[in-house]
Amino acid sequence: MKKHLVVCSLLLPAGALALAESPPVYPSPPGQGTGQWASAYASARSLVGQMTLEEKVNVTRGFPAVDNVCAGNSGSVPRLGWPGMCLHDAGNGVRATDLVNSYPSAVHAGASWDRNLTYLRGLYMGKEFKAKGVNVLLGPNAGPLGRSPLGGRNWEGFGVDPYLSGQLNYETIIGHQEAGVIANVKHFIANEQELHRRPYFGVEAVSSNVDDKTLHEFYLWPFVDSLRAGVASVMCSYQRVNNTYGCMNSKLLNGVLKTELAFEGFVLLDWNAVHDVRSVNAGLDMVMPLGGSLGANLTAAVRNGTVEEDRVTDMATRILAAWYLVGQDIDFPTPGIGMKNLSLPHEQVDARIPEANPVILEGAIAGHVLLKNDNRALPLSKPTMLSVFGYDATVPRTKNTDVLFQLGYTSSPEMGQAVLGTEQHFDQAARGGTIVTGGRAAANAPSYMIDPLSAIQHRAAADGTWVNWDLDSFDPTVNGATDACLVFINAMATEGWDREGVRDDFSDSLVLNVARKCSNTIVIVHTVGTRLVEQWIDHPNVTALVFAHLPGQDSGTALVQLLYGDADFSGKLPYTIAKNESDYSVFESCRPVVPGDTNPQCDFSEGVYLDYRHFDALNITPRYEFGFGLSYTTFEYSSLSIKTQDISDAAGQSLWDIAAEVQVTVTNTGSRAGQEIAQLYVAVPESPPRQLRGFDKVSLGPDQSATVGFQLTRRDLSVWDVVSQSWDLQEGNYTIFVGASSRDIRLYDTITI
């Protein structure tokens, strides 16, 4: 692994053999009920003030489901008319139920770089959760960010960059909570692998050992944006952070989240995460799915003085305040009313709304990324003959809700090595059919599924095209008269496992077998994220490459519109595609270093030098860089201007004050309309060469220009000072870069502070 200079942390003691420590921070600060929380806190305090100790404890813990399949159900307070809450998954639609939509997954939304589409996705998804009686939507995901490209849940987040993640988490949370459901941003914090994420058979969960500077500048960044959006709940993570379990880590929950960031909502633990009454004093507010040791034990802990009753009062108040904040005291359905056992007769609660349909399709289109297009192989123009190959081209054989959301069409056991402690493997390619989502908690069953081959067949019928297809052969026969060969492969991932690699021999060989026989081979990859393409990308017959990500139920419809030019490619990569696995600063997941090790450690020694920051710092050439994506048209950048504000005196100024305003003109220089995502990067002194600090999506007709504006806050230009425990705006030169990707910089200038 390549090393970078990392500032030593307050949390990481000096000494090569010393284990990282997380210092205790007590007591847990009570919520203040300020700003947008004021009215909600007033209502919550009034109701909680009428509760007995046992009733307050009831609010904070989970109970077995009686008549629903919600992932968790809180206790209720019937005497006071409080109905309790249903908590449920998650990332791309309502899980484990019928009559809901399957939205593009978060990585797909991340590849769109589209704030408005992401907000609308969050809004309509939230409306479906509300219709199903779900109070708490267990998302969005600000962690994992994607420290390792093998992370099994990376696809549940918007991308590897904390700024991009923060911006899109912000929009999602606004949408969810405007719809009337409580957003639950997760997993707090540094939860970057599935392997050893939980303790088992005497082996502790892995410890994410992260220094204070890296924590603030990288992993905490999108959580700060989430809190700024008013997120009402935060989920603490399974693994340890600096050798203390995330849901018992008082430094993180009491010190960082509730004191430094002044979080007013409630902290929810990940399901069955390690906990006991000490977690309450450390800042945990709600336990799921059952009360565990925090049921009657919490009442007893108050009676014997281990926990102050004021702490329990604060827990219940924070939970009730979140309930009031999003308006669940007014016309909210019975919790879990639409979440019945599907194998039993149940009322049909149709959560779908017509307004969502165009948003789902537009979002599916926007997350496709065109990476190669030699000799203008695309768009297709009424080909006489098309040939379609690959296991990913068609719908899976059976639509079964459990299979779709848990396993992603593989035959692997549901629980992986991270839970059982036995060596299990998850197939890199889901060869049972096309994928529209990854697996388990963030997945759901689509209302319908338009697969690529079906959509191609319908287009062929309209155009008079002859279609050949062979989805089973490893080395298929190719008709010599075909105009183009479309090869469909995928890369799958799921909660519970980390990926075993970022390529697979079967799929790569399939592509090569077709390319040897077809001079116009177009490869489409449905993928959970990073997937290497080196085995075939330079083959002269591979003319085009599309990363189709995880588009949701309108997958085939969106793809065909793009392949035929009815829609324009505008997506950009939210991660870097390397040439070699060794090019990444972190590749494999952490694991015990010797047999019998019961205390696995994972040192985040690379600091903030991940993905493009690492590639840029060491001048490593990627195959396709962060932010890269082609279009059917071309764009020119001109007229960069930067206007700085007086920011020399930090006294009285906020991190959110505007430090500089940047403008640039973008012109469509091609012959057709298109959309460009202009990106702004900043070189901050004593930091990575470039860091994303702005982006904007603009639609332009041929020869049309638009002025794109960016606002840089003090926070965008600051670094975390571990001594003063504050953000510091350094004196020096700051270079502002604007371009079409992290490497395709068109204009730049320098400001001095």
Side-chain angles (χ1 to χ4, degrees):
M1 180 188 298
K2 303 175 180 70
K3 301 293 185 182
H4 299 282
L5 178 64
V6 178
V7 176
C8 191
S9 164
L10 293 178
L11 302 183
L12 282 155
L17 299 179
L19 292 181
E21 295 179 354
S22 193
V25 176
Y26 295 102
S28 185
Q32 298 301 304
T34 59
Q36 63 178 315
W37 287 89
S39 176
Y41 259 77
S43 297
R45 285 168 175 154
S46 175
L47 187 57
V48 173
Q50 303 173 57
M51 294 181 185
T52 65
L53 172 61
E54 289 77 8
E55 287 171 334
K56 287 183 285 190
V57 169
N58 235 29
V59 170
T60 70
R61 57 174 169 157
F63 281 82
V66 176
D67 62 352
N68 64 53
V69 293
C70 298
N73 288 273
S74 79
S76 60
V77 186
R79 183 178 67 87
L80 299 176
W82 191 68
M85 297 196 295
C86 161
L87 302 86
H88 201 60
D89 301 310
N92 68 317
V94 192
R95 181 191 187 196
T97 191
D98 47 23
L99 299 172
V100 294
N101 289 307
S102 185
Y103 289 76
S105 294
V107 70
H108 200 91
S112 78
W113 296 60
D114 192 312
R115 289 184 179 87
N116 184 57
L117 274 178
T118 303
Y119 159 75
L120 292 173
R121 171 183 175 272
L123 177 69
Y124 292 125
M125 192 188 300
K127 288 177 181 287
E128 293 191 24
F129 274 84
K130 181 177 179 179
K132 288 287 187 176
V134 177
N135 301 80
V136 182
L137 190 168
L138 299 174
N141 197 321
L145 272 170
R147 177 177 182 260
S148 163
L150 300 183
R153 302 187 76 174
N154 290 355
W155 64 276
E156 297 183 36
F158 295 105
V160 72
D161 181 82
Y163 181 90
L164 177 64
S165 174
Q167 294 291 302
L168 298 185
N169 270 285
Y170 179 97
E171 298 295 342
T172 301
I173 289 162
I174 295 292
H176 286 342
Q177 297 194 168
E178 282 186 5
V181 294
I182 294 168
N184 174 250
V185 67
K186 59 188 187 184
H187 304 84
F188 192 77
I189 194 172
N191 179 55
E192 294 293 324
Q193 65 179 67
E194 293 300 281
L195 183 65
H196 296 291
R197 67 175 181 164
R198 300 177 71 171
Y200 63 88
F201 297 157
V203 179
E204 299 289 350
V206 68
S207 177
S208 300
N209 300 328
V210 56
D211 66 88
D212 192 39
K213 182 176 174 66
T214 299
L215 183 83
H216 282 81
E217 293 185 8
F218 201 83
Y219 297 100
L220 191 63
W221 189 283
F223 285 97
V224 172
D225 288 320
S226 299
L227 267 61
R228 188 163 170 78
V231 71
S233 181
V234 172
M235 181 184 288
C236 52
S237 56
Y238 281 127
Q239 93 293 351
R240 296 178 294 166
V241 183
N242 297 325
N243 285 287
T244 300
Y245 278 97
C247 294
M248 299 176 69
N249 196 311
S250 63
K251 166 63 179 178
L252 294 176
L253 301 184
N254 290 340
V256 175
L257 185 61
K258 290 185 174 181
T259 299
E260 180 186 320
L261 301 182
F263 176 54
E264 301 270 48
F266 66 93
V267 176
L268 166 68
L269 96 169
D270 207 343
W271 267 225
N272 293 312
V274 173
H275 62 280
D276 57 32
V277 292
R278 292 174 297 168
S279 301
V280 169
N281 290 330
L284 180 66
D285 299 307
M286 181 182 279
V287 177
M288 283 290 153
L290 304 177
S293 61
L294 290 186
N297 286 357
L298 181 54
T299 305
V302 173
R303 305 273 191 225
N304 66 27
T306 304
V307 176
E308 297 289 335
E309 185 169 354
D310 284 351
R311 172 81 267 265
V312 180
T313 300
D314 179 57
M315 294 163 69
T317 301
R318 286 173 175 272
I319 294 166
L320 267 294
W323 187 76
Y324 281 112
L325 180 74
V326 300
Q328 292 185 355
D329 56 318
I330 303 171
D331 298 328
F332 197 88
T334 302
I337 190 171
M339 303 301 302
K340 303 301 181 182
N341 188 320
L342 300 185
S343 64
L344 299 175
H346 58 280
E347 177 187 359
Q348 292 182 344
V349 178
D350 194 342
R352 300 166 297 181
I353 53 176
E355 294 89 341
N357 294 342
V359 171
I360 294 171
L361 176 58
E362 189 177 353
I365 291 169
H368 286 73
V369 183
L370 180 63
L371 296 174
K372 182 178 182 179
N373 193 22
D374 288 356
N375 303 317
R376 297 185 178 179
L378 296 174
L380 302 172
S381 180
K382 292 188 176 181
T384 302
M385 182 183 294
L386 274 182
S387 295
V388 179
F389 304 105
Y391 54 85
D392 181 72
T394 192
V395 69
R397 301 292 185 267
T398 302
K399 181 182 179 182
N400 177 289
T401 304
D402 289 338
V403 172
L404 286 173
F405 77 69
Q406 288 183 349
L407 304 182
Y409 331 133
T410 78
S411 59
S412 302
E414 191 208 346
M415 306 299 281
Q417 78 274 20
V419 177
L420 294 181
T422 59
E423 190 67 20
Q424 303 286 345
H425 299 275
F426 187 84
D427 196 346
Q428 285 298 98
R431 287 188 258 167
T434 194
I435 59 173
V436 299
T437 175
R440 291 185 66 185
N444 77 337
S447 181
Y448 54 82
M449 186 187 295
I450 306 299
D451 62 271
L453 182 56
S454 297
I456 290 167
Q457 300 279 29
H458 283 285
R459 183 58 181 253
D463 288 353
T465 299
W466 173 285
V467 180
N468 308 304
W469 66 92
D470 180 351
L471 311 185
D472 298 319
S473 297
F474 177 66
D475 190 5
T477 300
V478 176
N479 189 313
T482 194
D483 293 285
C485 298
L486 307 180
V487 184
F488 288 87
I489 61 175
N490 65 45
M492 184 60 182
T494 183
E495 178 188 4
W497 292 264
D498 287 323
R499 298 166 66 189
E500 295 190 354
V502 286
R503 60 175 111 201
D504 75 273
D505 292 340
F506 178 90
S507 301
D508 289 337
S509 296
L510 173 62
V511 172
L512 286 171
N513 288 341
V514 174
R516 291 187 188 104
K517 305 167 189 174
C518 183
S519 61
N520 187 19
T521 298
I522 298 166
V523 183
I524 298 96
V525 186
H526 284 105
T527 179
V528 291
T530 302
R531 206 279 186 196
L532 302 194
V533 296
E534 289 307 297
Q535 282 191 256
W536 41 264
I537 192 62
D538 287 328
H539 194 289
N541 289 345
V542 175
T543 56
L545 170 61
V546 177
F547 264 37
H549 290 115
L550 302 171
Q553 65 197 33
D554 285 329
S555 174
T557 304
L559 178 66
V560 166
Q561 287 195 22
L562 289 161
L563 293 180
Y564 283 82
D566 300 334
D568 185 63
F569 282 98
S570 63
K572 305 272 190 173
L573 290 175
Y575 49 80
T576 295
I577 300 176
K579 292 185 176 182
N580 303 289
E581 288 89 342
S582 59
D583 290 341
Y584 293 101
S585 57
V586 176
F587 183 67
E588 295 185 341
S589 306
C590 295
R591 58 185 69 231
V593 293
V594 295
D597 181 6
T598 61
N599 188 24
Q601 302 289 308
C602 191
D603 296 332
F604 287 29
S605 57
E606 71 286 342
V608 302
Y609 288 86
L610 289 159
D611 202 74
Y612 71 92
R613 302 170 185 222
H614 163 76
F615 282 75
D616 291 347
L618 297 185
N619 199 26
I620 301 169
T621 301
R623 171 56 66 177
Y624 297 113
E625 71 269 18
F626 176 85
F628 177 80
L630 299 173
S631 169
Y632 286 146
T633 187
T634 55
F635 298 95
E636 181 181 274
Y637 289 67
S638 62
S639 305
L640 175 65
S641 67
I642 305 173
K643 180 181 179 182
T644 58
Q645 307 296 324
D646 182 9
I647 51 176
S648 56
D649 182 9
Q653 295 197 19
S654 164
L655 278 176
W656 307 103
D657 287 344
I658 304 303
E661 294 180 291
V662 181
Q663 288 190 340
V664 66
T665 299
V666 179
T667 303
N668 183 345
T669 55
S671 58
R672 58 175 288 161
Q675 296 175 306
E676 172 68 328
I677 298 162
Q679 302 163 42
L680 183 148
Y681 297 83
V682 177
V684 176
E686 305 301 321
S687 298
R690 281 185 289 277
Q691 298 180 81
L692 181 70
R693 287 296 184 264
F695 61 90
D696 196 26
K697 189 172 185 177
V698 59
S699 299
L700 297 170
D703 298 321
Q704 186 179 3
S705 298
T707 299
V708 178
F710 307 93
Q711 290 186 326
L712 293 171
T713 65
R714 290 180 62 91
R715 177 196 185 213
D716 291 328
L717 302 178
S718 297
V719 297
W720 182 253
D721 187 302
V722 299
V723 176
S724 67
Q725 289 288 286
S726 63
W727 289 96
D728 178 36
L729 190 63
Q730 307 168 93
E731 294 183 355
N733 295 325
Y734 294 70
T735 304
I736 311 298
F737 306 91
V738 178
S741 76
S742 61
R743 288 283 174 107
D744 186 4
I745 301 300
R746 308 292 181 87
L747 302 165
Y748 65 92
D749 202 352
T750 300
I751 60 174
T752 301
I753 294 176

